[in-house]
Amino acid sequence: MDGRIYLDHAATTPLDPRVLEAMLPCLRDAWGNPSSVYGEAREARGRFSAARRLVAELLGAAPAEIIFTSGGSESDNLAIRGIAHAARHLGNQVVTVATEHHAVLHATAGLEQEGFTVTRLPVDRCGFVDGAMLEAAVGPDTALVSVMLANNETGTVKQFPRSRGSLRQGTHKRWSTLMQFRRRIARNRRDPPRVDALSLAAHKFYGPKGVGVLYLRTGTPLEAQIVGGSQEKERRAGTENVAGSVGLATALRLAMEELPARVRHVQAIRDRILDEIPRRIAGSVITGPLEPERRLANNASFCFEASTRRCC
Amino acid sequence: MDGRIYLDHAATTPLDPRVLEAMLPCLRDAWGNPSSVYGEAREARGRFSAARRLVAELLGAAPAEIIFTSGGSESDNLAIRGIAHAARHLGNQVVTVATEHHAVLHATAGLEQEGFTVTRLPVDRCGFVDGAMLEAAVGPDTALVSVMLANNETGTVKQFPRSRGSLRQGTHKRWSTLMQFRRRIARNRRDPPRVDALSLAAHKFYGPKGVGVLYLRTGTPLEAQIVGGSQEKERRAGTENVAGSVGLATALRLAMEELPARVRHVQAIRDRILDEIPRRIAGSVITGPLEPERRLANNASFCFEASTRRCC
């Protein structure tokens, strides 16, 4: 791939060699089953528990609020179906947005087939949801509100009603990038996230593929989607992916530690791309907003048409 | 752990160093997203496709019949809920056995809550299902039959009605060990498995944790359980776990190649344990059958009571 520059980190990122180093002892030596009771399992359980504590600390959460999954799609599905099913006695309506990730759109479409009412809010031409419209859509029958904080394709950072209390039954928001996550949520690391559920996929921030996290605020109802053993406090069955979870935790730690430098780096690249592509390529249209605070630091996206006008 | 011998390979196995070697290039270099279309994704896609073809060849299946999942529990859940939901118009009854794995028992209990009728067949004191009882339980409303071929706790190898044709809508059987799988199914490697669905968890045969396979015979109806992207022919959403899938395929190849030697090795250990424990430990009772053809080569299990009589 000489001379090529990979720019599709929203699709996936390389595995950070430091993350691989952290995973190797789990792959080589700490191979026990964390749910077993004897000595051989103890080292695996210790590393797995430490990964959970580290993720919790980095998110400003409690360890019991961290559920390890196989990735972002499973986390999204678990949050949406799991909360909606468990909260069904409280209401039959789910509120979401037309531009969500397919893991959210298809999961809510499934709820619709089960008899839920799904309200899909429209967005403006830059991808924004109207906050007043969102608040108005939430009513006494709302079981769940699921809105991504930032769009993974257009980079649009969503604007929300500030008060979670105005939504009767929890909000599930999905972060498409860690940078966004940190800027918005973790200013005070001791503050828990201001949502009830949050999905992370390790391979989006230099971690391994096949592992994710669902943060679930204490007290949020959840029905398990993969059932069997009692792993993850009966919220997600299956032998624990120790190496993957350690990899996710390490990648998250590095992302948090290096966030200011990473943001500076990608933002400069983003701005140059957003500046030069429309000037150099006739018919290119920037999608999403241009204002720095309203667009992900790592996102530049375009449509290519006959006209070069901006979408907003 | 000096002086200790790990004997709980039914819970999990160490990662074979040769499997780790096969995974490392995916973790270090082939980190692209297999579903992307550009060059950087090509190497990842190539390795991932090769893993699928290898698993298919080893199982005597077609590549399109192999679905990669996050492990055995997800595979079991996907098969049971996925087939039952998709075949619901054909019938409302699910047949299974009281001694199945929790991933099967809890999934069928969930179907019961949705309105399915679940028939749970009893076993005799050595864990066997009566073949005639199984055939009698299957009727015009049967959507799915799910029976494990061998029990993971007692080692009991189940006896089945030979003819799959006698079951109207497919059979899902779950293998708890690869040895059993090979002995029963893969005598002729070109013969596809004589079931409609089959679950594998890599970490049970010296592969990595967090990855599994569902074999699904062509023509078997299936409703996806994790929804979102169109990976795995829309049967299982989520960015593909390339390294894990390559690890599973490599571990499966090694298991198949080394099967006769592995069986000889563990069978000798098993027989010595089954012989000596009852003689040395007062009050120990062997659970499951003793006849070599009716017990897994790698299984020795006991209860410890006041009496030393055999259960059968």
Side-chain angles (χ1 to χ4, degrees):
Chain A
M1 295 294 138
D2 288 342
R4 289 170 60 97
I5 299 171
Y6 179 78
L7 290 173
D8 198 12
H9 292 69
T12 198
T13 58
L15 185 65
D16 189 314
R18 297 170 294 179
V19 173
L20 178 56
E21 279 310 304
M23 293 169 67
L24 282 175
C26 305
L27 294 168
R28 290 198 174 118
D29 304 312
W31 50 264
N33 187 326
S35 293
S36 298
V37 292
Y38 38 72
E40 283 75 8
R42 210 171 292 144
E43 195 187 340
R45 187 164 58 248
R47 289 177 186 269
F48 184 65
S49 300
R52 188 193 307 281
R53 285 196 305 272
L54 178 54
V55 171
E57 191 198 329
L58 292 165
L59 298 188
E65 294 177 320
I66 303 303
I67 303 172
F68 282 106
T69 69
S70 69
S73 295
E74 188 195 327
S75 290
D76 285 350
N77 280 217
L78 174 56
I80 288 172
R81 278 202 297 253
I83 295 175
H85 286 171
R88 188 164 201 162
H89 62 288
L90 299 173
N92 205 39
Q93 185 210 17
V94 172
V95 178
T96 188
V97 177
T99 51
E100 289 291 305
H101 189 279
H102 277 149
V104 170
L105 292 178
H106 292 183
T108 52
L111 290 176
E112 209 162 30
Q113 289 183 343
E114 295 173 23
F116 280 85
T117 302
V118 178
T119 304
R120 292 177 186 84
L121 299 171
V123 296
D124 68 18
R125 57 200 314 245
C126 279
F128 290 107
V129 187
D130 184 78
M133 193 186 282
L134 174 56
E135 290 219 51
V138 175
D141 281 335
T142 307
L144 174 72
V145 178
S146 178
V147 183
M148 71 203 322
L149 179 53
N151 188 279
N152 51 314
E153 300 200 4
T154 61
T156 307
V157 176
K158 295 289 195 301
Q159 312 292 315
F160 292 104
R162 291 281 160 187
S163 144
R164 197 178 66 96
S166 70
L167 307 182
R168 179 168 145 252
Q169 177 64 42
T171 302
H172 165 249
K173 297 166 188 166
R174 184 176 177 277
W175 275 254
S176 64
T177 75
L178 187 65
M179 270 166 275
Q180 184 49 38
F181 159 72
R182 172 66 187 281
R183 199 164 68 209
R184 279 292 168 117
I185 299 308
R187 270 196 204 113
N188 179 345
R189 295 259 290 261
R190 299 302 140 202
D191 258 10
R194 290 197 192 97
V195 288
D196 293 315
L198 178 157
S199 298
L200 290 179
H203 76 102
K204 303 289 191 186
F205 49 94
Y206 305 95
K209 291 174 174 60
V211 60
V213 150
L214 178 67
Y215 158 84
L216 190 77
R217 179 188 293 273
T218 301
T220 308
L222 189 82
E223 184 184 289
Q225 298 299 302
I226 297 181
V227 295
S230 57
Q231 291 92 351
E232 302 295 319
K233 298 185 186 291
E234 301 195 339
R235 296 171 299 183
R236 201 280 185 184
T239 297
E240 298 89 342
N241 180 354
V242 180
S245 304
V246 167
L248 183 148
T250 306
L252 188 62
R253 178 177 62 74
L254 293 168
M256 299 296 237
E257 288 171 3
E258 299 172 0
L259 196 77
R262 289 189 190 184
V263 166
R264 272 196 309 277
H265 176 68
V266 295
Q267 201 160 300
I269 297 170
R270 176 198 73 177
D271 290 345
R272 186 168 164 198
I273 294 173
L274 289 176
D275 181 52
E276 295 201 15
I277 294 276
R279 290 199 287 110
R280 296 198 188 191
I281 302 180
S284 54
V285 182
I286 295 172
T287 53
L290 274 182
E291 301 83 343
E293 278 303 303
R294 303 177 83 203
R295 182 179 200 104
L296 286 176
N298 66 345
N299 180 285
S301 68
F302 303 86
C303 290
F304 297 95
E305 292 182 0
S307 134
T308 54
R309 68 193 151 71
R310 280 182 52 198
C311 81
C312 56
Chain B
M1 295 295 137
D2 288 342
R4 289 169 59 96
I5 300 171
Y6 179 77
L7 291 174
D8 198 12
H9 293 69
T12 198
T13 58
L15 185 64
D16 189 314
R18 296 168 295 178
V19 173
L20 178 57
E21 280 309 305
M23 293 169 67
L24 283 175
C26 305
L27 294 168
R28 291 197 173 119
D29 304 311
W31 50 264
N33 188 325
S35 293
S36 299
V37 293
Y38 37 74
E40 283 74 7
R42 210 170 294 144
E43 196 188 339
R45 186 164 59 249
R47 288 177 187 269
F48 185 65
S49 300
R52 189 194 306 281
R53 284 195 306 273
L54 178 55
V55 171
E57 191 198 329
L58 292 165
L59 298 188
E65 294 176 320
I66 303 303
I67 304 171
F68 282 107
T69 70
S70 69
S73 295
E74 188 194 329
S75 291
D76 285 349
N77 280 216
L78 175 56
I80 288 172
R81 278 201 297 253
I83 295 175
H85 286 169
R88 188 164 198 161
H89 62 288
L90 298 173
N92 205 41
Q93 185 209 17
V94 171
V95 178
T96 188
V97 176
T99 50
E100 288 292 304
H101 189 278
H102 278 149
V104 170
L105 292 178
H106 293 183
T108 51
L111 291 176
E112 208 162 30
Q113 288 183 342
E114 295 173 22
F116 280 85
T117 301
V118 178
T119 304
R120 294 178 185 85
L121 298 171
V123 296
D124 68 18
R125 59 199 313 242
C126 279
F128 290 108
V129 188
D130 184 78
M133 194 185 282
L134 174 56
E135 291 218 49
V138 175
D141 282 335
T142 307
L144 174 71
V145 178
S146 178
V147 183
M148 72 204 319
L149 179 52
N151 188 279
N152 52 315
E153 299 200 3
T154 60
T156 307
V157 177
K158 295 290 194 301
Q159 311 292 314
F160 293 104
R162 291 280 160 186
S163 146
R164 197 176 67 95
S166 71
L167 307 181
R168 181 169 144 248
Q169 178 64 43
T171 302
H172 165 251
K173 297 166 188 166
R174 182 173 179 279
W175 275 255
S176 64
T177 77
L178 187 66
M179 271 166 273
Q180 183 49 38
F181 158 71
R182 171 68 187 279
R183 199 164 69 210
R184 279 294 167 118
I185 298 306
R187 269 198 204 113
N188 178 346
R189 295 260 290 262
R190 299 301 140 200
D191 259 9
R194 290 196 192 100
V195 289
D196 293 317
L198 177 156
S199 300
L200 290 179
H203 76 100
K204 302 289 191 187
F205 48 95
Y206 303 95
K209 292 174 174 59
V211 61
V213 151
L214 178 67
Y215 158 85
L216 189 77
R217 179 189 294 271
T218 301
T220 308
L222 189 81
E223 184 184 289
Q225 297 299 302
I226 297 180
V227 296
S230 56
Q231 291 92 351
E232 302 296 318
K233 298 185 184 291
E234 301 197 338
R235 297 171 297 183
R236 202 279 185 185
T239 297
E240 299 88 341
N241 181 354
V242 181
S245 303
V246 167
L248 182 147
T250 306
L252 188 61
R253 177 178 62 73
L254 291 168
M256 299 296 237
E257 288 171 3
E258 299 172 358
L259 194 78
R262 290 190 191 182
V263 166
R264 271 196 309 277
H265 177 67
V266 296
Q267 200 159 302
I269 296 170
R270 175 198 74 178
D271 290 345
R272 185 165 165 201
I273 293 173
L274 288 176
D275 180 52
E276 295 203 12
I277 294 277
R279 290 200 285 111
R280 296 199 188 190
I281 302 180
S284 55
V285 181
I286 296 172
T287 54
L290 273 183
E291 301 82 345
E293 280 302 305
R294 303 178 83 201
R295 182 178 199 107
L296 287 176
N298 66 345
N299 180 285
S301 69
F302 302 87
C303 289
F304 297 95
E305 293 183 0
S307 134
T308 53
R309 68 194 151 71
R310 281 179 54 197
C311 80
C312 56

